């Protein structure tokens, strides 16, 4: 998820992929910024974690590790960190459909940053890029 988000932000701002050798570092830096944002917004996010983790501090510690999978709380925090909307899609009988846009309010702002588009497969997030890319 973190790699897909940093690559999506790269596509949205520069129209091309981030070099592979930079992706891991950028994803890890985003992860650390997301954990810092979780801690900063503890009162806002902690009520939603009981079904995910019994202890907020332990949850943040776990999310700091590169192998921990991110989910909705991290997606929301990544939107805050990047100041850019993140739209998640899934494939249905009708094709590609949006599920949710984190930071939908950012879309209406003057000079709004282009959103990152991700595909949720049911187990993993992958980056969606325009066909021309």
């Amino acid at each position: 998820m973190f790699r897909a988000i940093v690559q999506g932000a790269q596509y949205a701002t520069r129209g091309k992929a981030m070099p592979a050798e930079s992706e891991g570092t950028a994803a890890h830096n985003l992860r650390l910024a997301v954990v810092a944002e979780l801690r900063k917004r503890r009162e806002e996010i902690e009520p939603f974690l009981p079904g995910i983790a019994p202890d907020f501090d332990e949850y943040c510690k776990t999310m700091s590790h590169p192998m921990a999978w991110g989910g909705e709380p991290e997606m929301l925090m990544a939107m805050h960190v990047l100041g850019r909307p993140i739209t998640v899609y899934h494939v249905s009988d009708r094709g590609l459909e949006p599920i949710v846009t984190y930071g939908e309010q950012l879309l209406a702002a003057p000079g709004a940053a282009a959103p990152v588009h991700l595909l949720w497969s049911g187990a993993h997030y992958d980056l969606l890029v325009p066909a021309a890319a």
Side-chain angles (χ1 to χ4, degrees), residues 3-133:
R3 287 176 181 258
I5 293 171
V6 296
Q7 283 289 11
Q10 171 80 8
Y11 268 107
T13 56
R14 296 195 172 94
K16 61 181 181 176
M18 175 184 299
E21 59 274 7
S22 302
E23 184 182 282
T25 299
H28 185 68
N29 289 341
L30 175 62
R31 175 186 294 276
L32 296 179
V34 162
V35 171
E37 194 72 17
L38 279 167
R39 292 184 189 284
K40 177 180 158 186
R41 297 175 179 269
R42 182 177 185 153
E43 289 182 21
E44 177 184 335
I45 200 76
E46 190 172 25
F48 298 99
L49 294 181
I52 300 171
D55 180 73
F56 181 82
D57 293 318
E58 189 62 34
Y59 180 79
C60 289
K61 183 178 175 186
T62 298
M63 285 311 306
S64 296
H65 296 284
M67 298 307 291
W69 287 23
E72 280 196 284
E74 293 73 37
M75 192 82 64
L76 179 63
M77 296 303 110
M79 176 273 302
H80 286 295
V81 167
L82 297 174
R84 146 183 330 274
I86 300 172
T87 301
V88 179
Y89 299 81
H90 72 111
V91 178
S92 75
D93 295 342
R94 294 171 285 201
L96 201 58
E97 292 187 22
I99 300 170
V100 63
T101 297
Y102 298 94
E104 194 165 0
Q105 71 280 6
L106 298 175
L107 292 170
V116 170
H117 300 281
L118 302 178
L119 176 65
W120 170 244
S121 68
H124 196 263
Y125 293 97
D126 293 301
L127 178 61
L128 291 171
V129 295

